[in-house]
Amino acid sequence: MQNLTLTWQSAGGTAAVLYGGAFAAARVRKPSLSALLREAGTLLALFALWQLVGHLSVMSTDHALDRASWIHRTELALGLPDEVSWQSAVTPYPVLVRLANYYYAVMHFAVMLVVLLWVFVRHRERYAWVRNTVVITTAVCLLVQFIPVAPPRMLPQDGFVDLAAQYGQSVYGGAVGGVVADQLSAMPSVHVAWCVLVGVAVVRVSPSPLRWVVVLHPVLTVAVVVVTANHFWADGIVAVAILLLAYAVLASSARVARRRGRASALAEARPRSGVEQDAGQADRSSRSDRSSRPDRSDRSDRSKQVT
């Protein structure tokens, strides 16, 4: 299972095809299909950008391992649980290791896609909120990821093991032991950001009492990214902070829109100025005078009748 995920080239190509399909559907007057294809293309385009950022950086990759080591030391100094101990608790169980590797590679994107499709089809009025949260969160994560940070699995000296490579389930094409740029996007964890976003979206949107089952997804994802040594706790904490920032931005935008709506409604309901009112009264008086005056033809007819 060498590749369990789309490359940025294949994701970008698929997104372009979906955008083309959306345009074609719009031309044949199928707006629902066009919107669905367009939104799917947007999601894949975001995924392609996320993958592409792994090949780019604004800083040298030489210190990516140093940054990862610093994060690990800082976590331990703050009293956070050591990720090595979590991984050591799972490694004796090959079935759990394989499941964890598979969950990390597949469920991240698949669950997000299913949830977006469900909201789009069943709760269209809430879709924009969910979609915009995904866009803002992912965009900010991508900006931070321009600073290369190695994942824990690249720190064998600290006790971490690359379980995906060990079991032949790595999603990375190159030699996993080598320090290459496409593996140095560990901070922040988009996996954690998206899984928490999915949980919040389902709980907020769905009226079903079973909606709380979705909380298992972020819980499992956080456990998986730690035991597979793909992320530190700090990667997830920063990702959740970015997600909260996205919610704050959207809430502020909604408040501004409501204020503008109220101001617009008040402006329409506000009485006209005194000049406009006087002009209106004069116009009404003029029409009243004209209607009260008898018409000349009527007066002529009446005079003929008298004679």
Short mmCIF file of all heavy atoms in Angstrom, two decimals, residues 203-273:
data_model
loop_
_atom_site.label_atom_id
_atom_site.label_comp_id
_atom_site.label_asym_id
_atom_site.label_seq_id
_atom_site.Cartn_x
_atom_site.Cartn_y
_atom_site.Cartn_z
N VAL A 203 -22.33 17.92 14.62
CA VAL A 203 -23.06 18.20 15.86
C VAL A 203 -23.92 19.45 15.73
O VAL A 203 -25.06 19.49 16.22
CB VAL A 203 -22.07 18.33 17.04
CG1 VAL A 203 -22.78 18.85 18.28
CG2 VAL A 203 -21.43 16.97 17.34
N ARG A 204 -23.41 20.47 15.04
CA ARG A 204 -24.16 21.71 14.89
C ARG A 204 -25.28 21.60 13.87
O ARG A 204 -26.34 22.23 14.03
CB ARG A 204 -23.21 22.84 14.46
CG ARG A 204 -22.26 23.33 15.52
CD ARG A 204 -22.96 24.16 16.58
NE ARG A 204 -23.64 25.31 16.00
CZ ARG A 204 -23.05 26.48 15.76
NH1 ARG A 204 -21.76 26.64 16.04
NH2 ARG A 204 -23.74 27.49 15.27
N VAL A 205 -25.09 20.82 12.84
CA VAL A 205 -26.04 20.80 11.72
C VAL A 205 -27.11 19.73 11.90
O VAL A 205 -28.29 19.97 11.65
CB VAL A 205 -25.29 20.58 10.39
CG1 VAL A 205 -26.28 20.36 9.25
CG2 VAL A 205 -24.40 21.78 10.08
N SER A 206 -26.72 18.54 12.34
CA SER A 206 -27.67 17.43 12.40
C SER A 206 -28.58 17.54 13.62
O SER A 206 -28.11 17.83 14.72
CB SER A 206 -26.90 16.10 12.45
OG SER A 206 -27.81 15.02 12.65
N PRO A 207 -29.89 17.28 13.44
CA PRO A 207 -30.80 17.28 14.58
C PRO A 207 -30.88 15.91 15.27
O PRO A 207 -31.52 15.77 16.31
CB PRO A 207 -32.15 17.63 13.94
CG PRO A 207 -32.05 17.06 12.55
CD PRO A 207 -30.60 17.17 12.15
N SER A 208 -30.24 14.91 14.70
CA SER A 208 -30.35 13.55 15.22
C SER A 208 -29.60 13.38 16.54
O SER A 208 -28.48 13.90 16.69
CB SER A 208 -29.80 12.56 14.19
OG SER A 208 -29.71 11.26 14.75
N PRO A 209 -30.17 12.64 17.48
CA PRO A 209 -29.44 12.37 18.73
C PRO A 209 -28.20 11.51 18.51
O PRO A 209 -27.30 11.47 19.35
CB PRO A 209 -30.47 11.65 19.60
CG PRO A 209 -31.48 11.11 18.65
CD PRO A 209 -31.52 12.06 17.50
N LEU A 210 -28.13 10.83 17.37
CA LEU A 210 -26.97 9.99 17.06
C LEU A 210 -25.78 10.80 16.54
O LEU A 210 -24.72 10.23 16.27
CB LEU A 210 -27.35 8.93 16.01
CG LEU A 210 -28.40 7.91 16.44
CD1 LEU A 210 -28.74 6.98 15.28
CD2 LEU A 210 -27.91 7.11 17.65
N ARG A 211 -25.97 12.11 16.40
CA ARG A 211 -24.90 12.93 15.83
C ARG A 211 -23.65 12.92 16.69
O ARG A 211 -22.54 13.16 16.19
CB ARG A 211 -25.39 14.36 15.63
CG ARG A 211 -25.68 15.12 16.91
CD ARG A 211 -26.35 16.47 16.61
NE ARG A 211 -26.57 17.30 17.78
CZ ARG A 211 -27.59 17.18 18.60
NH1 ARG A 211 -28.52 16.23 18.37
NH2 ARG A 211 -27.72 17.98 19.64
N TRP A 212 -23.80 12.64 17.97
CA TRP A 212 -22.65 12.67 18.87
C TRP A 212 -21.67 11.52 18.59
O TRP A 212 -20.53 11.57 19.05
CB TRP A 212 -23.11 12.64 20.32
CG TRP A 212 -23.84 13.89 20.69
CD1 TRP A 212 -25.19 14.06 20.78
CD2 TRP A 212 -23.25 15.15 21.00
NE1 TRP A 212 -25.49 15.35 21.12
CE2 TRP A 212 -24.32 16.05 21.27
CE3 TRP A 212 -21.94 15.61 21.08
CZ2 TRP A 212 -24.10 17.38 21.61
CZ3 TRP A 212 -21.72 16.94 21.44
CH2 TRP A 212 -22.79 17.81 21.69
N VAL A 213 -22.11 10.52 17.83
CA VAL A 213 -21.21 9.42 17.48
C VAL A 213 -20.01 9.94 16.69
O VAL A 213 -18.91 9.37 16.74
CB VAL A 213 -21.97 8.33 16.70
CG1 VAL A 213 -21.02 7.24 16.21
CG2 VAL A 213 -23.07 7.73 17.55
N VAL A 214 -20.20 11.03 15.95
CA VAL A 214 -19.13 11.57 15.10
C VAL A 214 -17.94 12.04 15.93
O VAL A 214 -16.84 12.19 15.41
CB VAL A 214 -19.67 12.73 14.23
CG1 VAL A 214 -19.82 14.00 15.05
CG2 VAL A 214 -18.76 12.97 13.03
N VAL A 215 -18.14 12.26 17.23
CA VAL A 215 -17.03 12.68 18.09
C VAL A 215 -15.92 11.62 18.11
O VAL A 215 -14.75 11.94 18.36
CB VAL A 215 -17.55 12.97 19.51
CG1 VAL A 215 -16.41 13.28 20.48
CG2 VAL A 215 -18.53 14.13 19.48
N LEU A 216 -16.29 10.38 17.82
CA LEU A 216 -15.28 9.32 17.77
C LEU A 216 -14.23 9.59 16.70
O LEU A 216 -13.07 9.19 16.84
CB LEU A 216 -15.95 7.96 17.49
CG LEU A 216 -16.79 7.38 18.62
CD1 LEU A 216 -17.50 6.12 18.15
CD2 LEU A 216 -15.92 7.07 19.83
N HIS A 217 -14.63 10.28 15.63
CA HIS A 217 -13.68 10.53 14.54
C HIS A 217 -12.52 11.41 14.98
O HIS A 217 -11.35 11.04 14.78
CB HIS A 217 -14.41 11.13 13.34
CG HIS A 217 -13.50 11.50 12.21
ND1 HIS A 217 -12.64 10.60 11.60
CD2 HIS A 217 -13.29 12.69 11.57
CE1 HIS A 217 -11.97 11.20 10.65
NE2 HIS A 217 -12.33 12.46 10.61
N PRO A 218 -12.74 12.58 15.60
CA PRO A 218 -11.59 13.35 16.07
C PRO A 218 -10.79 12.64 17.16
O PRO A 218 -9.56 12.76 17.20
CB PRO A 218 -12.20 14.66 16.59
CG PRO A 218 -13.66 14.42 16.69
CD PRO A 218 -14.00 13.34 15.73
N VAL A 219 -11.48 11.90 18.02
CA VAL A 219 -10.75 11.17 19.07
C VAL A 219 -9.81 10.14 18.44
O VAL A 219 -8.63 10.04 18.79
CB VAL A 219 -11.74 10.50 20.04
CG1 VAL A 219 -11.00 9.56 20.99
CG2 VAL A 219 -12.51 11.55 20.83
N LEU A 220 -10.34 9.36 17.49
CA LEU A 220 -9.52 8.36 16.81
C LEU A 220 -8.40 8.99 16.00
O LEU A 220 -7.26 8.50 15.99
CB LEU A 220 -10.39 7.49 15.91
CG LEU A 220 -11.29 6.46 16.59
CD1 LEU A 220 -12.21 5.80 15.58
CD2 LEU A 220 -10.44 5.40 17.30
N THR A 221 -8.71 10.10 15.32
CA THR A 221 -7.70 10.74 14.48
C THR A 221 -6.53 11.26 15.31
O THR A 221 -5.36 11.07 14.94
CB THR A 221 -8.32 11.89 13.68
OG1 THR A 221 -9.36 11.38 12.84
CG2 THR A 221 -7.27 12.58 12.81
N VAL A 222 -6.83 11.90 16.43
CA VAL A 222 -5.76 12.40 17.30
C VAL A 222 -4.90 11.25 17.80
O VAL A 222 -3.66 11.32 17.80
CB VAL A 222 -6.35 13.20 18.47
CG1 VAL A 222 -5.26 13.54 19.49
CG2 VAL A 222 -7.00 14.49 17.97
N ALA A 223 -5.56 10.17 18.23
CA ALA A 223 -4.79 9.00 18.69
C ALA A 223 -3.94 8.42 17.57
O ALA A 223 -2.77 8.05 17.78
CB ALA A 223 -5.75 7.95 19.24
N VAL A 224 -4.50 8.36 16.36
CA VAL A 224 -3.79 7.77 15.22
C VAL A 224 -2.57 8.59 14.82
O VAL A 224 -1.48 8.04 14.57
CB VAL A 224 -4.76 7.60 14.03
CG1 VAL A 224 -4.00 7.44 12.72
CG2 VAL A 224 -5.67 6.40 14.26
N VAL A 225 -2.72 9.91 14.73
CA VAL A 225 -1.58 10.72 14.30
C VAL A 225 -0.45 10.68 15.32
O VAL A 225 0.72 10.86 14.96
CB VAL A 225 -2.00 12.19 14.02
CG1 VAL A 225 -3.04 12.25 12.92
CG2 VAL A 225 -2.47 12.90 15.27
N VAL A 226 -0.79 10.42 16.58
CA VAL A 226 0.24 10.34 17.61
C VAL A 226 0.93 8.98 17.58
O VAL A 226 2.16 8.90 17.56
CB VAL A 226 -0.37 10.62 19.00
CG1 VAL A 226 0.63 10.29 20.11
CG2 VAL A 226 -0.79 12.08 19.11
N VAL A 227 0.15 7.89 17.57
CA VAL A 227 0.77 6.56 17.64
C VAL A 227 1.53 6.21 16.36
O VAL A 227 2.45 5.39 16.40
CB VAL A 227 -0.27 5.47 17.96
CG1 VAL A 227 -0.97 5.76 19.28
CG2 VAL A 227 -1.27 5.31 16.83
N THR A 228 1.16 6.82 15.24
CA THR A 228 1.92 6.58 14.00
C THR A 228 3.11 7.52 13.88
O THR A 228 3.85 7.46 12.90
CB THR A 228 1.02 6.77 12.77
OG1 THR A 228 0.46 8.09 12.78
CG2 THR A 228 -0.10 5.73 12.75
N ALA A 229 3.28 8.41 14.87
CA ALA A 229 4.40 9.36 14.90
C ALA A 229 4.39 10.30 13.71
O ALA A 229 5.45 10.70 13.21
CB ALA A 229 5.74 8.62 14.99
N ASN A 230 3.19 10.67 13.27
CA ASN A 230 3.09 11.66 12.20
C ASN A 230 2.94 13.08 12.72
O ASN A 230 3.21 14.04 11.99
CB ASN A 230 1.90 11.32 11.29
CG ASN A 230 2.23 10.23 10.29
OD1 ASN A 230 3.02 10.43 9.38
ND2 ASN A 230 1.62 9.06 10.47
N HIS A 231 2.51 13.22 13.98
CA HIS A 231 2.33 14.56 14.55
C HIS A 231 2.60 14.55 16.05
O HIS A 231 2.39 13.55 16.72
CB HIS A 231 0.91 15.08 14.30
CG HIS A 231 0.63 15.42 12.88
ND1 HIS A 231 1.17 16.53 12.26
CD2 HIS A 231 -0.15 14.81 11.94
CE1 HIS A 231 0.74 16.58 11.01
NE2 HIS A 231 -0.04 15.55 10.79
N PHE A 232 3.04 15.71 16.54
CA PHE A 232 3.14 15.96 17.97
C PHE A 232 1.79 16.47 18.48
O PHE A 232 0.92 16.88 17.72
CB PHE A 232 4.21 17.02 18.25
CG PHE A 232 5.61 16.59 17.94
CD1 PHE A 232 6.27 17.09 16.83
CD2 PHE A 232 6.28 15.70 18.77
CE1 PHE A 232 7.57 16.71 16.54
CE2 PHE A 232 7.58 15.31 18.49
CZ PHE A 232 8.22 15.81 17.37
N TRP A 233 1.67 16.48 19.81
CA TRP A 233 0.47 17.10 20.39
C TRP A 233 0.38 18.56 19.95
O TRP A 233 -0.71 19.06 19.66
CB TRP A 233 0.54 17.05 21.93
CG TRP A 233 0.60 15.69 22.53
CD1 TRP A 233 1.64 15.14 23.23
CD2 TRP A 233 -0.43 14.69 22.52
NE1 TRP A 233 1.33 13.88 23.65
CE2 TRP A 233 0.06 13.58 23.24
CE3 TRP A 233 -1.71 14.63 21.99
CZ2 TRP A 233 -0.68 12.41 23.42
CZ3 TRP A 233 -2.46 13.47 22.17
CH2 TRP A 233 -1.94 12.39 22.87
N ALA A 234 1.52 19.23 19.92
CA ALA A 234 1.53 20.66 19.58
C ALA A 234 0.98 20.92 18.18
O ALA A 234 0.32 21.94 17.95
CB ALA A 234 2.95 21.21 19.69
N ASP A 235 1.23 20.00 17.27
CA ASP A 235 0.70 20.17 15.91
C ASP A 235 -0.83 20.23 15.93
O ASP A 235 -1.44 21.03 15.21
CB ASP A 235 1.15 19.01 15.01
CG ASP A 235 2.67 18.89 14.94
OD1 ASP A 235 3.36 19.89 15.20
OD2 ASP A 235 3.14 17.78 14.63
N GLY A 236 -1.43 19.37 16.74
CA GLY A 236 -2.89 19.37 16.85
C GLY A 236 -3.42 20.57 17.60
O GLY A 236 -4.47 21.13 17.23
N ILE A 237 -2.71 21.00 18.63
CA ILE A 237 -3.15 22.16 19.41
C ILE A 237 -3.17 23.41 18.54
O ILE A 237 -4.13 24.20 18.55
CB ILE A 237 -2.24 22.36 20.63
CG1 ILE A 237 -2.44 21.21 21.62
CG2 ILE A 237 -2.53 23.70 21.31
CD1 ILE A 237 -1.43 21.17 22.75
N VAL A 238 -2.12 23.61 17.76
CA VAL A 238 -2.07 24.77 16.86
C VAL A 238 -3.17 24.67 15.80
O VAL A 238 -3.80 25.68 15.44
CB VAL A 238 -0.68 24.88 16.20
CG1 VAL A 238 -0.68 25.96 15.12
CG2 VAL A 238 0.38 25.16 17.24
N ALA A 239 -3.44 23.46 15.32
CA ALA A 239 -4.48 23.28 14.30
C ALA A 239 -5.85 23.66 14.86
O ALA A 239 -6.65 24.33 14.19
CB ALA A 239 -4.50 21.83 13.83
N VAL A 240 -6.14 23.25 16.10
CA VAL A 240 -7.42 23.60 16.71
C VAL A 240 -7.51 25.11 16.94
O VAL A 240 -8.58 25.71 16.77
CB VAL A 240 -7.62 22.82 18.03
CG1 VAL A 240 -8.86 23.31 18.77
CG2 VAL A 240 -7.74 21.32 17.75
N ALA A 241 -6.40 25.73 17.31
CA ALA A 241 -6.40 27.19 17.49
C ALA A 241 -6.73 27.90 16.17
O ALA A 241 -7.49 28.88 16.15
CB ALA A 241 -5.04 27.65 18.02
N ILE A 242 -6.19 27.39 15.08
CA ILE A 242 -6.49 27.97 13.76
C ILE A 242 -7.97 27.76 13.42
O ILE A 242 -8.62 28.67 12.87
CB ILE A 242 -5.59 27.34 12.69
CG1 ILE A 242 -4.14 27.80 12.90
CG2 ILE A 242 -6.06 27.70 11.28
CD1 ILE A 242 -3.13 27.09 12.01
N LEU A 243 -8.50 26.60 13.74
CA LEU A 243 -9.93 26.35 13.50
C LEU A 243 -10.79 27.32 14.30
O LEU A 243 -11.79 27.86 13.78
CB LEU A 243 -10.26 24.91 13.87
CG LEU A 243 -11.73 24.48 13.76
CD1 LEU A 243 -12.24 24.64 12.33
CD2 LEU A 243 -11.91 23.04 14.23
N LEU A 244 -10.43 27.56 15.55
CA LEU A 244 -11.19 28.52 16.37
C LEU A 244 -11.10 29.93 15.77
O LEU A 244 -12.07 30.69 15.81
CB LEU A 244 -10.65 28.52 17.80
CG LEU A 244 -10.90 27.23 18.60
CD1 LEU A 244 -10.23 27.32 19.97
CD2 LEU A 244 -12.39 26.96 18.76
N LEU A 245 -9.94 30.26 15.23
CA LEU A 245 -9.79 31.56 14.55
C LEU A 245 -10.73 31.66 13.36
O LEU A 245 -11.36 32.70 13.13
CB LEU A 245 -8.34 31.73 14.10
CG LEU A 245 -8.04 32.96 13.23
CD1 LEU A 245 -8.27 34.24 14.03
CD2 LEU A 245 -6.61 32.92 12.70
N ALA A 246 -10.85 30.57 12.60
CA ALA A 246 -11.76 30.57 11.45
C ALA A 246 -13.20 30.78 11.90
O ALA A 246 -13.96 31.55 11.29
CB ALA A 246 -11.63 29.25 10.69
N TYR A 247 -13.60 30.11 12.99
CA TYR A 247 -14.96 30.30 13.52
C TYR A 247 -15.17 31.75 13.96
O TYR A 247 -16.25 32.33 13.74
CB TYR A 247 -15.21 29.36 14.69
CG TYR A 247 -15.42 27.92 14.31
CD1 TYR A 247 -14.79 26.89 15.00
CD2 TYR A 247 -16.25 27.58 13.25
CE1 TYR A 247 -15.00 25.56 14.65
CE2 TYR A 247 -16.45 26.26 12.88
CZ TYR A 247 -15.82 25.26 13.59
OH TYR A 247 -16.02 23.95 13.23
N ALA A 248 -14.16 32.34 14.59
CA ALA A 248 -14.27 33.73 15.04
C ALA A 248 -14.43 34.68 13.85
O ALA A 248 -15.24 35.62 13.89
CB ALA A 248 -13.05 34.11 15.87
N VAL A 249 -13.67 34.44 12.79
CA VAL A 249 -13.77 35.28 11.59
C VAL A 249 -15.15 35.19 10.98
O VAL A 249 -15.78 36.21 10.62
CB VAL A 249 -12.69 34.87 10.56
CG1 VAL A 249 -12.95 35.54 9.21
CG2 VAL A 249 -11.30 35.23 11.07
N LEU A 250 -15.68 33.98 10.87
CA LEU A 250 -17.01 33.80 10.28
C LEU A 250 -18.10 34.39 11.16
O LEU A 250 -19.06 34.98 10.65
CB LEU A 250 -17.27 32.31 10.05
CG LEU A 250 -16.43 31.66 8.95
CD1 LEU A 250 -16.68 30.15 8.90
CD2 LEU A 250 -16.72 32.28 7.60
N ALA A 251 -17.96 34.26 12.49
CA ALA A 251 -18.95 34.85 13.40
C ALA A 251 -18.94 36.37 13.29
O ALA A 251 -19.99 37.01 13.27
CB ALA A 251 -18.67 34.40 14.82
N SER A 252 -17.75 36.96 13.22
CA SER A 252 -17.65 38.42 13.07
C SER A 252 -18.26 38.88 11.75
O SER A 252 -18.97 39.90 11.70
CB SER A 252 -16.19 38.86 13.14
OG SER A 252 -15.63 38.53 14.38
N SER A 253 -17.99 38.13 10.69
CA SER A 253 -18.57 38.49 9.38
C SER A 253 -20.08 38.41 9.42
O SER A 253 -20.77 39.27 8.85
CB SER A 253 -18.03 37.55 8.31
OG SER A 253 -16.63 37.64 8.20
N ALA A 254 -20.62 37.40 10.10
CA ALA A 254 -22.07 37.26 10.20
C ALA A 254 -22.67 38.42 10.99
O ALA A 254 -23.73 38.94 10.62
CB ALA A 254 -22.42 35.93 10.87
N ARG A 255 -22.00 38.85 12.07
CA ARG A 255 -22.51 39.99 12.84
C ARG A 255 -22.51 41.27 12.02
O ARG A 255 -23.46 42.05 12.06
CB ARG A 255 -21.67 40.17 14.11
CG ARG A 255 -21.98 39.17 15.21
CD ARG A 255 -21.41 39.63 16.54
NE ARG A 255 -19.95 39.67 16.49
CZ ARG A 255 -19.17 38.66 16.81
NH1 ARG A 255 -19.71 37.51 17.19
NH2 ARG A 255 -17.86 38.78 16.76
N VAL A 256 -21.44 41.48 11.27
CA VAL A 256 -21.37 42.68 10.41
C VAL A 256 -22.49 42.65 9.38
O VAL A 256 -23.14 43.67 9.12
CB VAL A 256 -19.99 42.77 9.73
CG1 VAL A 256 -20.00 43.85 8.66
CG2 VAL A 256 -18.91 43.04 10.75
N ALA A 257 -22.72 41.47 8.78
CA ALA A 257 -23.78 41.36 7.77
C ALA A 257 -25.15 41.63 8.38
O ALA A 257 -26.00 42.29 7.76
CB ALA A 257 -23.75 39.96 7.16
N ARG A 258 -25.37 41.14 9.61
CA ARG A 258 -26.67 41.40 10.26
C ARG A 258 -26.85 42.88 10.57
O ARG A 258 -27.94 43.43 10.39
CB ARG A 258 -26.77 40.58 11.55
CG ARG A 258 -27.05 39.11 11.32
CD ARG A 258 -27.52 38.44 12.61
NE ARG A 258 -26.48 38.47 13.63
CZ ARG A 258 -25.57 37.52 13.80
NH1 ARG A 258 -25.57 36.47 12.98
NH2 ARG A 258 -24.68 37.61 14.75
N ARG A 259 -25.77 43.53 11.03
CA ARG A 259 -25.88 44.97 11.31
C ARG A 259 -26.20 45.75 10.04
O ARG A 259 -27.03 46.67 10.05
CB ARG A 259 -24.56 45.49 11.90
CG ARG A 259 -24.33 45.09 13.34
CD ARG A 259 -23.27 45.95 13.99
NE ARG A 259 -22.60 45.23 15.05
CZ ARG A 259 -21.41 44.65 14.94
NH1 ARG A 259 -20.77 44.71 13.78
NH2 ARG A 259 -20.87 44.01 15.95
N ARG A 260 -25.52 45.41 8.96
CA ARG A 260 -25.80 46.10 7.70
C ARG A 260 -27.23 45.85 7.24
O ARG A 260 -27.88 46.75 6.71
CB ARG A 260 -24.82 45.62 6.64
CG ARG A 260 -23.40 46.14 6.85
CD ARG A 260 -22.47 45.62 5.78
NE ARG A 260 -21.12 46.17 5.93
CZ ARG A 260 -20.09 45.81 5.20
NH1 ARG A 260 -20.26 44.89 4.23
NH2 ARG A 260 -18.91 46.35 5.39
N GLY A 261 -27.72 44.64 7.45
CA GLY A 261 -29.09 44.33 7.07
C GLY A 261 -30.09 45.14 7.87
O GLY A 261 -31.07 45.67 7.33
N ARG A 262 -29.84 45.26 9.19
CA ARG A 262 -30.74 46.06 10.03
C ARG A 262 -30.68 47.53 9.65
O ARG A 262 -31.70 48.22 9.60
CB ARG A 262 -30.38 45.88 11.50
CG ARG A 262 -30.82 44.54 12.08
CD ARG A 262 -30.79 44.58 13.60
NE ARG A 262 -29.43 44.75 14.09
CZ ARG A 262 -28.63 43.76 14.42
NH1 ARG A 262 -29.04 42.50 14.29
NH2 ARG A 262 -27.41 44.00 14.88
N ALA A 263 -29.46 48.04 9.40
CA ALA A 263 -29.33 49.45 9.02
C ALA A 263 -30.03 49.72 7.71
O ALA A 263 -30.70 50.76 7.54
CB ALA A 263 -27.84 49.80 8.90
N SER A 264 -29.94 48.78 6.77
CA SER A 264 -30.62 48.95 5.50
C SER A 264 -32.13 48.94 5.66
O SER A 264 -32.84 49.74 5.06
CB SER A 264 -30.16 47.83 4.57
OG SER A 264 -31.00 47.62 3.55
N ALA A 265 -32.63 48.05 6.54
CA ALA A 265 -34.07 47.98 6.78
C ALA A 265 -34.57 49.26 7.45
O ALA A 265 -35.63 49.78 7.11
CB ALA A 265 -34.40 46.77 7.65
N LEU A 266 -33.79 49.79 8.39
CA LEU A 266 -34.19 51.04 9.06
C LEU A 266 -34.18 52.21 8.09
O LEU A 266 -35.03 53.09 8.16
CB LEU A 266 -33.24 51.32 10.23
CG LEU A 266 -33.39 50.41 11.45
CD1 LEU A 266 -32.28 50.69 12.45
CD2 LEU A 266 -34.76 50.60 12.10
N ALA A 267 -33.19 52.22 7.20
CA ALA A 267 -33.12 53.31 6.22
C ALA A 267 -34.33 53.30 5.31
O ALA A 267 -34.86 54.35 4.95
CB ALA A 267 -31.84 53.18 5.40
N GLU A 268 -34.81 52.13 4.93
CA GLU A 268 -35.98 52.04 4.07
C GLU A 268 -37.26 52.43 4.82
O GLU A 268 -38.18 53.00 4.24
CB GLU A 268 -36.12 50.63 3.53
CG GLU A 268 -35.02 50.25 2.55
CD GLU A 268 -35.16 48.82 2.07
OE1 GLU A 268 -36.12 48.15 2.53
OE2 GLU A 268 -34.35 48.38 1.24
N ALA A 269 -37.29 52.10 6.12
CA ALA A 269 -38.50 52.40 6.90
C ALA A 269 -38.51 53.82 7.45
O ALA A 269 -39.55 54.31 7.89
CB ALA A 269 -38.62 51.42 8.06
N ARG A 270 -37.39 54.54 7.44
CA ARG A 270 -37.30 55.89 8.00
C ARG A 270 -38.16 56.86 7.21
O ARG A 270 -38.18 56.82 5.97
CB ARG A 270 -35.84 56.35 7.99
CG ARG A 270 -35.63 57.66 8.75
CD ARG A 270 -34.18 58.06 8.69
NE ARG A 270 -33.36 57.05 9.34
CZ ARG A 270 -32.34 56.45 8.77
NH1 ARG A 270 -32.03 56.72 7.51
NH2 ARG A 270 -31.63 55.56 9.43
N PRO A 271 -38.93 57.79 7.89
CA PRO A 271 -39.76 58.78 7.18
C PRO A 271 -38.92 59.66 6.27
O PRO A 271 -37.75 59.92 6.55
CB PRO A 271 -40.38 59.61 8.31
CG PRO A 271 -40.28 58.74 9.52
CD PRO A 271 -39.06 57.91 9.35
N ARG A 272 -39.52 60.10 5.18
CA ARG A 272 -38.80 60.95 4.25
C ARG A 272 -38.52 62.31 4.86
O ARG A 272 -39.15 62.73 5.83
CB ARG A 272 -39.61 61.12 2.96
CG ARG A 272 -39.72 59.84 2.17
CD ARG A 272 -40.54 60.05 0.92
NE ARG A 272 -41.91 60.46 1.26
CZ ARG A 272 -42.81 60.80 0.35
NH1 ARG A 272 -42.50 60.81 -0.93
NH2 ARG A 272 -44.03 61.14 0.72
N SER A 273 -37.57 63.04 4.33
CA SER A 273 -37.19 64.36 4.85
C SER A 273 -38.34 65.34 4.70
O SER A 273 -39.29 65.13 3.96
CB SER A 273 -35.96 64.88 4.10
OG SER A 273 -36.28 65.10 2.75
#
